[in-house]
Amino acid sequence: MDARHAKYQRLIDRCQSMPPTPTAVAHPCDGSSLQGAMEAARLGLIAPILVGPLDRIRAAAADSGIDLSGVDMVDAPYSTASAAAAVALVREGKAEALMKGSLHTDELMGAVVKRETGLRTARRVSHCFVMDVPGHEDALIISDAAVNIAPTLEEKVDILQNAIDLAHALGVPEVRAAILSAMETVNPKVPSTVEAAALCKMVDRHQITGAIVDGPLALDNAINLEAAKIKKIESPVAGRANILLVPDLEAGNMLAKSLTFLAGADAAGIVLGARVPIILTSRADSVMSRLASCAIASMVAAARREGGKILG
C-alpha cells in the first residue's frame, strides 16, 4: 500500500477486528459498483445483500469475472424498486448499512427520505466526504458537498453534529471543526460569517457537542498554521482543523473536487442522519475510495451498536 492511501488503509485495518456489516446494496448492475461491494466483502468490511434485477446483476458479474457464490440476493425489477427493497431490508433489521449501486443518487435518497417507509430520524440527513489528501497529515471531513444545497442555520446545526459524530466514530482523538467562509471576520454583508459565529455560540451553550469549533475561518487559516499565524488568529482550531463545514453545496463540491483533481486526493463518501449509514459512491470513484467508504460505514454502524450518538 503506497503512502498516498495510508490514511484509508488505517481505516480498513481498524475494521479487521469487527464483524462484517450487513449491507443492502441497491441496484449493483454494473461492474464498478458490483466490484466495489464484492471487494469490500472479500476484505470483511461488509456482508452484502445484492438488491436488484438478478439477471442484470449476474450478467454484470459474468462480464467482470466476479464470483457471486454464497452471496445473498433479493430480486427487484428496476432501480426505484431496488431502492425501496434495500430500504425495506434496513427497516426489517436485516441490514445495518445501505450502499448505492448503479442507480441515480436521487432514486436511492428518495426511498430513504420517504416519511412512511423511509429511514428518517429527527436529525437532518447530510453527506460527508472523508478526504485523504496527499501531504496532509490527517484525513479531512468536508460537509456538506452532496445533499444539502443551501442549508439554513438550523440545518447546519445537524450537518455539523453529524460530522462531529462521524469523527468520533472514526476514532479522531480531538475533533476540531472549522466553519468556513471567505474571510475570518464576522461581516453582516456575508451571511455565512454570521452563521459561523452563531454556530460557535451554540457550541458554547452545548447545543452542539463533541468538538472544538471555530469560525468563520477562511480555508487557508483553517488548515495551515503558518497562514493562521500571519493573520494573528489565536484559536485551537485555526491551522489544525479536521472538519471543514462549508457554507453551501457549491462551495463544498468545488472544494472536494479541487482536492481530488488538483491535489490527487481520494474522497470517500457517506450519508449520515438516517437510521443507518449510507455508502454513497460515484462511478468515477477508485476502488480504494469505495473500500474506504465501506470501512467508514462499518465503523459508524459499530458506533451505533455500542450506543454512540451516530444516527446514521
Side-chain angles (χ1 to χ4, degrees):
M1 179 58 56
D2 61 54
R4 178 177 170 223
H5 295 128
K7 303 177 192 73
Y8 282 173
Q9 190 60 46
R10 286 197 294 269
L11 294 177
I12 293 169
D13 291 344
R14 280 189 59 193
C15 293
Q16 300 306 303
S17 61
M18 301 187 302
T21 300
T23 302
V25 186
H27 208 68
C29 295
D30 65 4
S32 61
S33 61
L34 198 55
Q35 181 187 13
M38 297 310 297
E39 182 65 14
R42 186 185 69 80
L43 293 176
L45 302 174
I46 66 172
I49 307 167
L50 307 181
V51 185
L54 298 188
D55 55 344
R56 290 183 60 188
I57 293 173
R58 292 186 177 116
D63 289 344
S64 301
I66 297 171
D67 183 9
L68 297 181
S69 301
V71 178
D72 291 336
M73 292 190 278
V74 174
D75 194 21
Y78 45 85
S79 56
T80 52
S82 301
V87 166
L89 288 172
V90 172
R91 291 178 63 92
E92 293 163 8
K94 297 176 181 176
E96 296 180 25
L98 196 60
M99 184 173 184
K100 176 179 175 284
S102 57
L103 75 175
H104 292 296
T105 298
D106 59 355
E107 292 177 309
L108 179 62
M109 294 307 298
V112 168
V113 301
K114 279 190 175 178
R115 293 195 177 276
E116 299 300 324
T117 59
L119 303 175
R120 284 174 175 263
T121 69
R123 189 81 67 82
R124 179 84 178 180
V125 170
S126 63
H127 179 274
C128 287
F129 275 125
V130 181
M131 306 286 300
D132 188 339
V133 184
H136 196 76
E137 183 177 356
D138 301 314
L140 286 172
I141 296 174
I142 297 174
S143 190
D144 181 337
V147 172
N148 293 282
I149 298 172
T152 64
L153 174 60
E154 183 179 15
E155 290 163 351
K156 285 181 179 180
V157 172
D158 281 350
I159 293 169
L160 178 56
Q161 191 67 66
N162 284 343
I164 292 169
D165 290 350
L166 172 61
H168 285 290
L170 299 183
V172 176
E174 184 178 69
V175 184
R176 301 179 293 271
I179 315 300
L180 294 187
S181 184
M183 59 198 70
E184 61 281 348
T185 53
V186 177
N187 184 335
K189 294 180 180 179
V190 184
S192 62
T193 68
V194 178
E195 291 183 350
L199 288 167
C200 291
K201 183 51 65 176
M202 294 173 87
V203 171
D204 291 344
R205 298 291 187 264
H206 307 293
Q207 294 169 266
I208 301 166
T209 60
I212 305 168
V213 180
D214 197 10
L217 290 170
L219 178 62
D220 57 346
N221 47 59
I223 62 173
N224 185 279
L225 275 171
E226 188 61 29
K229 289 177 182 176
I230 289 171
K231 293 199 174 182
K232 297 182 172 57
I233 301 172
E234 297 181 7
S235 162
V237 173
R240 305 171 63 238
N242 44 38
I243 291 176
L244 303 176
L245 185 80
V246 297
D248 54 34
L249 182 143
E250 291 173 311
N253 190 274
M254 285 185 271
L255 172 58
K257 288 182 177 176
S258 295
L259 291 172
T260 299
F261 291 99
L262 295 177
D266 282 314
I270 189 167
V271 171
L272 304 164
R275 291 191 191 182
V276 297
I278 302 167
I279 303 161
L280 202 62
T281 55
S282 164
R283 285 172 292 181
D285 286 345
S286 67
V287 172
M288 176 53 74
S289 291
R290 292 174 186 270
L291 294 178
S293 297
C294 291
I296 291 163
S298 184
M299 295 168 78
V300 170
R304 291 180 74 249
R305 285 194 298 269
E306 294 165 7
K309 296 179 183 178
I310 294 290
L311 295 179

